[in-house]
Amino acid sequence: MSTNDVVDLKPFKTMWKIKVKVIRLWKQYSAAGGETIEMVLCDLKGGKIYASVKKELVAQYEPFLRQDYSLMLINFAVIHSCGSYRTTSHGYKIIFLNTTRVRPCEKLPEDLSGFSPVQYKDVLDGTLNPNYLVDIIGQICEISHIEHINVNGKETEKLSLELRNSNDERLPMVLWGKFASDVSEAMQVRDDHSTIFVLRFGKIKVWKEERSVSNAYNVSEIALNPPMIEVDKFIASLPKDDLPLTIVESKYFATVNGVSDRDDFFIHTPRKTIAQILETKEVEKCILLCTITAIDSDMGWFYLSCKVCSKKVLSIPTSTNDDGNDDDLKYRNYCVKYKTYNPVTLPSNTKLLVFDNHAMQLLSQLCLQIVGSSNKFEIEETNVLPPALNSIIGKTFLFKIQIERENFVYKHETYKGLKVITNKDLISDFEDSNSQNASLPILGSASEQSESFDLTPAKRVKPGNNDFEESFDQNFVSRSVTSVLIKKEKFTKGG
């Protein structure tokens, strides 16, 4: 029996025989179909087709199916392919039967990836049918902070990017869920070289006649600077202009089947003053408008955390010999939770992505860029702050705060910051909506305290100071009088 080409597959028979490479494999669950195995297959001529293993046959075929495997498939059904998330342009798809034979075959070429990046202009002008998933390659030139969007009653991460191609055309990209957090985390430790973004099986989205590309659930696959021939060629074709990465604000008014940031802050979450937060005796979330007036650096403004568990790592001596000479003493990191030496670390607060993400949003810089060398284990001088941190003093922001049981039962001094809004127009609108209030009390009801606090030298007072308090289970809005000082804030436009 001779081998057939993928392009020739049609529904009129089942005795087909193809030699293919599994270029994409994932599991999918639905209430109707249960858990199934989904694949995209590619033959030596570049022909691609979608294939599916129904839940009744998953146990039978799962041991033989892996991404990047080269296989011989014999005897399977071919049916019409339809839907709005089609992975290939083939008019049909493969359905495994209980009589389908799966055999290993000689390995097909490593560079047989089926990767076919589309032109940006074809996405933006509507030439491409949005029912078909697409491949994208581009240099990341803009990135936003992560937003937490309420989609169908569940909070989901969202990250906005802008890519450019060799013609200097721009393409907006939106990532959701784990894709957003993974890319944001990877960008925290990027070097100064160009970051090339590769998306396999992305979804073209249309919103008010504007087109962008997004990940398509778990179908998509994303990589940054992967070792691919296509990436090397793309880098060589880019303009030689050393384009810097720009950190931008997200579009707060966009809604995707859920609650926008504006509605979350203005309608769905109660507003509280600091006095009201301190008096709260139940677990809840609230919105706080405040101005940063001082930074308490006693606790240090950064520490290294384990990338796995997000807990602070300790710096311990590398040698147990006590020869009395501490000048040449070297240190290494140790994760207490996982009992691991030199774990992968990132500068972070307790919640790695929360802290780095808000550093991007508040300071328009990546946290690693502010910290500097990743070999820096601990802060040597607490009263020396980077200019980027001082730049937020005196500025007003909107925070979404989580009040936990520990705050009112055990008097835990730090509240979790869930979201931050830095958009001036949105903050001004929020102030207008609160115009019936005269002012924000300062750390309780004693609003006059903002001018009378005595700070230690480590609490470098300018117009004011926010504490990025670095303890094991703290985020960054503290109620400690010596940690965060909040200026009286008038609820009038233009403040």
Side-chain angles (χ1 to χ4, degrees):
M1 182 179 178
S2 61
T3 302
N4 304 109
D5 293 334
V6 163
V7 70
D8 295 328
L9 298 181
K10 292 180 175 61
F12 66 89
K13 67 175 186 176
T14 60
M15 281 307 297
W16 296 101
K17 179 182 179 181
I18 58 173
K19 185 187 296 184
V20 292
K21 182 178 180 180
V22 182
I23 62 172
R24 184 73 180 116
L25 182 147
W26 69 98
K27 286 187 176 181
Q28 187 166 293
Y29 178 83
S30 67
E35 186 177 67
T36 61
I37 296 176
E38 313 297 329
M39 294 172 287
V40 180
L41 311 175
C42 183
D43 66 12
L44 195 55
K45 293 184 178 180
K48 293 181 288 186
I49 191 168
Y50 176 60
S52 181
V53 180
K54 294 184 177 180
K55 65 177 181 179
E56 297 85 1
L57 302 177
V58 166
Q60 178 180 341
Y61 290 110
E62 185 175 16
F64 310 102
L65 302 175
R66 293 289 186 277
Q67 189 160 312
D68 295 326
Y69 271 20
S70 295
L71 303 171
M72 185 78 75
L73 301 183
I74 304 172
N75 185 227
F76 47 82
V78 179
I79 66 172
H80 281 281
S81 179
C82 56
S84 58
Y85 287 81
R86 297 176 63 174
T87 55
T88 76
S89 59
H90 202 297
Y92 304 103
K93 65 180 179 180
I94 291 174
I95 300 294
F96 277 53
L97 307 172
N98 58 3
T99 55
T100 298
R101 296 183 180 181
V102 180
R103 297 176 179 173
C105 66
E106 65 272 17
K107 192 173 183 180
L108 295 179
E110 287 284 346
D111 58 358
L112 181 64
S113 63
F115 181 60
S116 304
V118 298
Q119 297 294 322
Y120 288 7
K121 61 180 180 60
D122 293 337
V123 174
L124 299 173
D125 65 13
T127 299
L128 296 175
N129 186 339
N131 291 332
Y132 292 86
L133 304 185
V134 296
D135 294 341
I136 297 291
I137 185 171
Q139 178 189 4
I140 298 178
C141 55
E142 286 189 3
I143 185 171
S144 74
H145 64 278
I146 283 187
E147 294 179 81
H148 291 80
I149 306 295
N150 191 317
V151 180
N152 298 325
K154 182 180 179 181
E155 272 205 350
T156 305
E157 296 89 347
K158 174 190 173 186
L159 183 71
S160 300
L161 306 171
E162 185 174 84
L163 308 180
R164 77 160 178 173
N165 60 15
S166 55
N167 298 323
D168 205 25
E169 297 168 329
R170 307 302 171 98
L171 179 68
M173 175 78 58
V174 180
L175 303 180
W176 297 91
K178 192 174 185 299
F179 292 95
S181 57
D182 285 350
V183 170
S184 179
E185 179 180 330
M187 292 299 290
Q188 306 296 335
V189 294
R190 63 181 284 274
D191 54 27
D192 292 331
H193 299 293
S194 299
T195 302
I196 307 304
F197 177 93
V198 173
L199 170 66
R200 305 293 310 276
F201 308 108
K203 175 68 173 175
I204 298 175
K205 294 286 189 178
V206 182
W207 173 255
K208 294 183 177 179
E209 303 302 321
E210 293 187 4
R211 286 171 168 76
S212 63
V213 178
S214 176
N215 59 286
Y217 303 103
N218 54 346
V219 183
S220 299
E221 190 173 41
I222 288 174
L224 300 181
N225 293 335
M228 297 172 60
I229 295 175
E230 294 88 349
V231 171
D232 294 336
K233 291 180 178 178
F234 180 80
I235 292 176
S237 69
L238 283 173
K240 309 301 186 217
D241 55 4
D242 296 325
L243 182 72
L245 177 69
T246 303
I247 298 172
V248 298
E249 292 188 9
S250 297
K251 296 180 179 179
Y252 291 103
F253 302 96
T255 306
V256 184
N257 298 325
V259 179
S260 68
D261 267 356
R262 182 185 180 90
D263 287 348
D264 187 19
F265 275 71
F266 281 64
I267 301 174
H268 297 281
T269 308
R271 310 176 187 191
K272 287 183 181 290
T273 64
I274 292 176
Q276 292 169 333
I277 290 174
L278 299 181
E279 294 169 359
T280 299
K281 302 300 180 185
E282 60 182 20
V283 175
E284 65 173 309
K285 299 172 184 177
C286 65
I287 304 301
L288 172 68
L289 174 69
C290 61
T291 299
I292 298 174
T293 61
I295 295 180
D296 177 3
S297 57
D298 282 352
M299 296 296 294
W301 59 272
F302 85 91
Y303 64 75
L304 297 178
S305 71
C306 175
K307 189 175 179 181
V308 177
C309 67
S310 296
K311 297 297 182 182
K312 183 178 181 180
V313 299
L314 304 179
S315 296
I316 63 173
T318 57
S319 174
T320 58
N321 296 328
D322 190 1
D323 56 6
N325 183 12
D326 295 334
D327 293 338
D328 297 329
L329 199 60
K330 296 182 179 180
Y331 296 85
R332 58 178 171 172
N333 294 325
Y334 179 72
C335 178
V336 177
K337 181 175 181 179
Y338 283 94
K339 298 179 174 58
T340 303
Y341 288 98
N342 290 327
V344 178
T345 59
L346 289 173
S348 161
N349 204 325
T350 302
K351 302 280 186 172
L352 170 68
L353 292 177
V354 170
F355 180 75
D356 285 351
N357 177 48
H358 286 94
M360 289 173 57
Q361 186 179 359
L362 293 171
L363 309 174
S364 297
Q365 282 186 256
L366 299 177
C367 190
L368 191 63
Q369 293 174 334
I370 301 171
V371 173
S373 171
S374 59
N375 295 324
K376 187 186 295 183
F377 294 117
E378 292 182 338
I379 294 174
E380 300 295 334
E381 298 180 73
T382 60
N383 62 334
V384 177
L385 299 176
L389 283 182
N390 287 325
S391 70
I392 65 173
I393 295 172
K395 293 184 178 179
T396 299
F397 302 107
L398 271 173
F399 294 93
K400 183 175 182 180
I401 307 300
Q402 174 70 59
I403 303 174
E404 302 281 10
R405 185 171 183 269
E406 289 78 5
N407 296 124
F408 54 85
V409 175
Y410 300 108
K411 309 304 179 184
H412 201 292
E413 294 184 342
T414 298
Y415 296 86
K416 286 186 179 179
L418 304 177
K419 292 183 183 180
V420 181
I421 281 184
T422 59
N423 182 283
K424 293 180 179 179
D425 292 336
L426 203 57
I427 292 172
S428 179
D429 290 346
F430 189 91
E431 289 176 320
D432 287 345
S433 66
N434 272 305
S435 59
Q436 68 273 19
N437 296 324
S439 63
L440 274 175
I442 310 302
L443 292 169
S445 60
S447 61
E448 68 278 4
Q449 289 179 339
S450 62
E451 284 82 28
S452 61
F453 284 132
D454 293 325
L455 301 179
T456 66
K459 302 167 182 60
R460 299 157 47 87
V461 177
K462 290 194 178 177
N465 194 1
N466 185 14
D467 162 52
F468 288 60
E469 217 175 273
E470 322 293 355
S471 67
F472 282 92
D473 295 305
Q474 296 176 348
N475 259 344
F476 61 84
V477 178
S478 172
R479 77 180 201 186
S480 170
V481 170
T482 59
S483 294
V484 176
L485 309 184
I486 308 300
K487 187 179 71 174
K488 286 182 288 188
E489 191 65 36
K490 297 294 184 181
F491 290 106
T492 56
K493 192 167 184 177

